[in-house]
Amino acid sequence: MQTGQPSTTAEIVAFFRALETIRPGDRLFEDPFAAHFLRPWLRIIVRGSVLPLIGALLLRWIDRRWPGARTSAIARTRLIDDWVNESVAGDPQQVLILGAGFDSRAWRLPALRKVAVFEIDHPATAAEKRRRLAALGIERANVRFVPVDFERDAAPQALARSGFDPTKSVVVIWEGVTNYLSGEAVDATLRWIGSLATGTRLIFTYVHEGVLTDPSAFEGAAQILVAVSSTGEPWTFGLRPEALARYLEARGLKLLADLGAKDYRARYMGEPAKRMRGYEFYRVALAELLGPRNPDGRSVQAEHPVDGPDLRRPQQPGVRHRHGVQRPLQVLAPKREEFLQHRKLRPDVVLLPNIGLQQPRVIRPAVEDPGGGEPIALKLAAKILRDHRCPLRPR
């Protein structure tokens, strides 16, 4: 995320929701607010997509450019909606949305209208969201915005000032966030959630760790990694599905369900889902609290300090996280020979062909191979160069 600006990826997901909302035929959900979070030219595209030919061509173009991203986004939106409705029916007293972005569930899901909803996010994104909702004249007395600059503010204190009560059960929604964080930030947040009151549930997304170490193992993953990095919001964290239950248990949580894109597309899209490819690495999990409780109902986690949610994204070169050292990467359009020579001289700078971009971009940060090998972006750069034979001239 660029400093002082709302999240680009939050707008992209809102764009996908807006397209689904306006799509003719049976829709997975309706989100009448999504289009209002978009910049004007994107709103024009959404409106134009109602024309059969334009709509079909647009969806086909999106699905070829970012394989599986759109279909995964809309199917998992419906899955999370269903899990939220099911969880709220269990009579929790609060809903907490971590890294809310342009999420509109507090406005479009009837089940949330009488529940206290706390939306926590970076001040820039939260301010832009409030501005656009105010322009629509929409108010919800039960929704509390909690803007937090995680470099300076303590999230638990900010939540407490907004009326959040950690001794009451809560449904936590953590969508589209963990893959942008460090391992330490994910760990701290999960431990805090695991310390909350009995009855608390967590719905969250994550990417398969393998997409960061070997993107070639997943169809379209290399394209997606370049796309998200070019926006200044690279992916930095993943988990292994086979190890998820044990990982959550160590943090006071019990895994109830864990579905990949193939699974949740099949659930909601039926026969057409069999022909959909891409984003199989993107997963949605449902968990609930476990472990001993204090008399007030809160979890006991004596051996691990609980500091509260930490949604800070890795930013500075040299900061270590569970996948290694982060390094800034410069994206240029070199010839193959220049790439190979530069790779020998400057391992901290990776030259990538400027494919599909009007201007060179900067990728921050890179992620090193957990085994101590080359940064993943180096391998990704080499693959792109092989696939595209460096069609562009040097800058």
Side-chain angles (χ1 to χ4, degrees):
M1 193 172 111
Q2 302 298 321
T3 303
Q5 299 179 9
S7 168
T8 299
T9 53
E11 186 177 31
I12 292 171
V13 175
F15 175 55
F16 292 158
R17 294 202 309 270
L19 289 174
E20 176 66 10
T21 298
I22 206 167
R23 182 177 62 84
D26 293 332
R27 296 181 286 268
L28 295 188
F29 57 84
E30 291 190 8
D31 185 349
F33 307 99
H36 298 285
F37 297 131
L38 307 178
R39 59 196 74 185
W41 65 271
L42 281 176
R43 290 200 294 269
I44 292 173
I45 291 176
V46 170
R47 288 196 293 269
S49 71
V50 297
L51 300 174
L53 180 59
I54 293 178
L57 290 175
L58 174 63
L59 296 186
R60 184 178 302 175
W61 180 83
I62 291 172
D63 293 343
R64 290 187 64 181
R65 186 172 179 84
W66 301 295
R70 181 188 64 87
T71 55
S72 168
I74 61 176
R76 73 172 181 265
T77 294
R78 172 60 185 274
L79 173 63
I80 294 173
D81 285 356
D82 287 350
W83 280 353
V84 169
N85 288 330
E86 173 191 325
S87 299
V88 170
D91 199 29
Q93 301 171 48
Q94 307 168 108
V95 171
L96 172 61
I97 306 178
L98 297 175
F102 293 141
D103 187 299
S104 61
R105 290 186 174 93
W107 290 267
R108 64 182 179 81
L109 294 185
L112 299 189
R113 291 177 182 170
K114 296 183 180 181
V115 179
V117 179
F118 298 85
E119 291 200 351
I120 187 168
D121 209 341
H122 189 277
T125 300
E128 182 63 16
K129 181 175 185 176
R130 297 191 72 173
R131 184 186 70 80
R132 299 193 190 191
L133 289 171
L136 294 174
I138 298 174
E139 293 186 4
R140 286 280 192 275
N142 64 311
V143 181
R144 293 92 183 269
F145 293 93
V146 189
V148 175
D149 183 340
F150 293 98
E151 298 298 329
R152 296 179 296 181
D153 305 326
Q157 285 74 16
L159 281 167
R161 289 193 297 269
S162 299
F164 180 81
D165 188 346
T167 67
K168 295 180 179 179
S169 61
V170 56
V171 176
V172 182
I173 305 170
W174 202 15
E175 181 184 7
V177 181
T178 63
N179 41 302
Y180 297 102
L181 305 181
S182 68
E184 290 78 7
V186 174
D187 175 70
T189 303
L190 289 175
R191 291 190 187 282
W192 179 77
I193 295 170
S195 73
L196 297 177
T198 301
T200 291
R201 276 193 165 191
L202 167 65
I203 302 166
F204 72 104
T205 64
Y206 71 97
V207 298
H208 193 300
E209 187 181 79
V211 77
L212 300 178
T213 57
D214 183 16
S216 64
F218 300 90
E219 185 171 345
Q223 293 170 249
I224 299 297
L225 290 178
V226 170
V228 296
S229 294
S230 69
T231 68
E233 301 179 33
W235 291 351
T236 53
F237 177 83
L239 291 164
R240 294 279 175 181
E242 63 272 18
L244 181 62
R246 187 169 54 184
Y247 177 84
L248 291 175
E249 186 175 348
R251 289 151 181 83
L253 296 159
K254 177 184 178 181
L255 181 64
L256 300 179
D258 179 22
L259 302 179
K262 183 177 180 180
D263 303 313
Y264 51 76
R265 282 193 295 236
R267 174 178 292 193
Y268 294 107
M269 297 177 173
E271 191 65 25
K274 296 179 180 179
R275 299 187 295 273
M276 296 175 183
R277 298 290 183 272
Y279 249 65
E280 283 80 5
F281 51 79
Y282 209 101
R283 306 185 67 85
V284 187
L286 173 67
E288 65 181 7
L289 268 64
L290 55 74
R293 302 279 137 187
N294 283 317
D296 63 1
R298 299 187 67 187
S299 173
V300 177
Q301 297 234 355
E303 56 182 316
H304 298 293
V306 181
D307 298 323
D310 181 353
L311 304 188
R312 288 174 292 181
R313 301 187 179 198
Q315 293 180 343
Q316 299 300 322
V319 177
R320 296 197 66 87
H321 58 84
R322 73 186 299 271
H323 286 303
V325 178
Q326 301 154 195
R327 291 173 175 164
L329 304 179
Q330 189 173 9
V331 181
L332 300 175
K335 292 180 181 177
R336 178 186 296 272
E337 295 76 16
E338 288 182 336
F339 168 78
L340 295 175
Q341 182 63 23
H342 209 100
R343 182 173 176 178
K344 295 177 183 177
L345 298 176
R346 291 289 306 278
D348 61 325
V349 177
V350 174
L351 305 177
L352 295 180
N354 193 15
I355 299 168
L357 304 176
Q358 295 298 317
Q359 298 292 333
R361 301 294 179 90
V362 175
I363 295 180
R364 306 174 182 273
V367 183
E368 270 192 3
D369 190 322
E374 297 174 304
I376 293 166
L378 282 174
K379 300 176 181 178
L380 182 58
K383 183 180 188 303
I384 293 175
L385 287 167
R386 288 195 303 272
D387 293 346
H388 296 273
R389 297 181 176 85
C390 296
L392 304 178
R393 293 180 299 176
R395 185 185 181 189

